[in-house]
């Protein structure tokens, strides 16, 4: 994996603070794991309201986690006073996600001034193993914040 350099020394606090202030993120109730330049990990504990039949995580939840993780990874490389928004994303669900948690690991593929391409893999994590259950490719639009 490539070693990216963060332009903002406070990248971790900025990214986690921005994401966790979003109503959708609060609703999902996830937490951040590892955050590094060009990388972000989001942990989603199992909750019955996020599942479909037989306790499997619903596909939209997996897509949201992939989007948040990839977008967060991209956000770690932004200049101070910039934010990003999803332009589009494609999620491929590869296996059912069931267990005590799912973990989305985002990474930057190609950063840019206005557009950043990122990806995320989502893993269903059991007590002793993890299974790749989804993968996503995400395009982010970088924008300068008005009050910066």
């Amino acid at each position: 994996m490539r070693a990216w350099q963060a332009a903002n020394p406070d990248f971790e606090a900025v990214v986690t603070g921005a994401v966790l202030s979003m109503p959708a993120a609060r609703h999902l109730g996830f937490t951040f794991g590892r955050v590094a330049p060009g990388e972000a990990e989001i942990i989603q504990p199992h909750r019955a309201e996020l599942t479909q039949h037989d306790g499997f995580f619903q596909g939209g939840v997996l897509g949201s986690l992939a989007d948040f993780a990839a977008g967060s990874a991209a956000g770690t490389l932004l200049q101070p006073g910039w934010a990003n928004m999803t332009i589009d994303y494609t999620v491929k669900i590869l296996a059912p996600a069931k267990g005590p948690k799912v973990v989305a690991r985002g990474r930057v593929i190609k950063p840019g001034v206005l557009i950043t391409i990122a990806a995320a893999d989502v893993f269903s994590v059991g007590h002793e193993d993890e299974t790749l259950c989804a993968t996503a490719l995400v395009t982010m639009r970088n924008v300068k914040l008005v009050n910066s």
Side-chain angles (χ1 to χ4, degrees):
M1 187 166 292
R2 180 160 178 182
W4 302 105
Q5 296 295 317
N8 185 345
D10 297 324
F11 70 89
E12 184 173 0
V14 170
V15 167
T16 59
V19 170
L20 295 176
S21 72
M22 294 179 194
R26 287 195 307 271
H27 173 73
L28 289 169
F30 60 68
T31 59
F32 276 87
R34 182 173 189 273
V35 179
E39 300 176 38
E41 180 180 79
I42 292 178
I43 302 159
Q44 174 65 66
H46 181 273
R47 292 181 22 221
E49 65 270 24
L50 302 179
T51 64
Q52 56 188 9
H53 56 278
D54 295 329
F56 292 104
F57 281 89
Q58 198 274 337
V61 173
L62 302 179
S64 291
L65 293 174
D67 179 34
F68 272 114
S72 296
T76 66
L77 301 183
L78 293 174
Q79 296 286 333
W82 284 68
N84 60 13
M85 296 178 235
T86 304
I87 293 174
D88 73 4
Y89 68 99
T90 301
V91 178
K92 301 298 182 188
I93 297 175
L94 308 171
K98 189 172 186 178
K101 63 184 173 183
V102 290
V103 176
R105 296 185 182 117
R107 66 194 179 284
V108 170
I109 303 296
K110 185 174 188 327
V113 175
L114 296 178
I115 302 288
T116 297
I117 307 300
D121 292 321
V122 182
F123 297 87
S124 178
V125 179
H127 297 290
E128 295 182 22
D129 64 339
E130 60 181 38
T131 301
L132 178 64
C133 59
T135 190
L137 187 62
V138 182
T139 305
M140 305 299 297
R141 170 73 162 97
N142 307 322
V143 295
K144 183 156 179 55
L145 299 173
V146 175
N147 296 328
S148 302

